[in-house]
Amino acid sequence: MAHPGMVNKQGVSIFNSPVATKKLLFRLLEMLNAEPPWLEGSQCFNCQCNFGIKTRKHHCRHCGRLLCAKCTPQQMPIIKYDIHKPTRLCATCYDVLSLQ
């Protein structure tokens, strides 16, 4: 199964594809019905900062992308995943869940 945060060899995902519209991205993220596995790596999938002692790894609990703290400042429950306490989200997933 494809992961919403997967990146191809050219570094393109549904989050940064030049042909993906925000409407299409939102529809794909709305279709997630179970928490995806967390992606791993050495850089933030959003701003490409390197992880290390001063920059910790975090995951968006909705899409599973690996991100830094600056790229996951939002928190809210994800009821469709049965997560009732506010949890870390990327800006895109926060926008998607705020509209539901």
Side-chain angles (χ1 to χ4, degrees), residues 4-72:
M6 288 189 80
V7 178
N8 68 13
K9 291 178 184 175
Q10 292 77 35
V12 178
S13 74
I14 64 169
F15 290 90
N16 66 5
S17 173
V19 295
T21 64
K22 196 163 195 165
K23 185 176 181 179
L24 173 61
L25 176 59
F26 277 29
R27 289 194 72 185
L28 291 170
L29 290 170
E30 286 173 351
M31 293 170 53
L32 294 174
N33 57 8
E35 189 173 359
W38 292 354
L39 294 174
E40 289 301 325
S42 60
Q43 292 183 322
C44 174
F45 280 42
N46 195 49
C47 71
Q48 284 74 47
C49 72
N50 290 316
F51 296 117
I53 295 171
K54 291 185 178 183
T55 307
R56 293 187 53 213
K57 295 179 180 184
H58 298 282
H59 291 86
C60 173
R61 300 308 195 272
H62 186 249
C63 69
R65 290 188 306 152
L66 179 63
L67 303 160
C68 67
K70 286 191 277 186
C71 292
T72 56

Side-chain angles (χ1 to χ4, degrees), residues 62-98:
H62 186 249
C63 69
R65 290 188 306 152
L66 179 63
L67 303 160
C68 67
K70 286 191 277 186
C71 292
T72 56
Q74 300 84 358
Q75 292 191 5
M76 76 178 342
I78 308 174
I79 304 305
K80 69 180 182 176
Y81 293 169
D82 202 28
I83 300 173
H84 298 280
K85 292 188 334 187
T87 190
R88 192 176 293 272
L89 297 169
C90 67
T92 303
C93 289
Y94 181 83
D95 290 346
V96 168
L97 294 171
S98 295

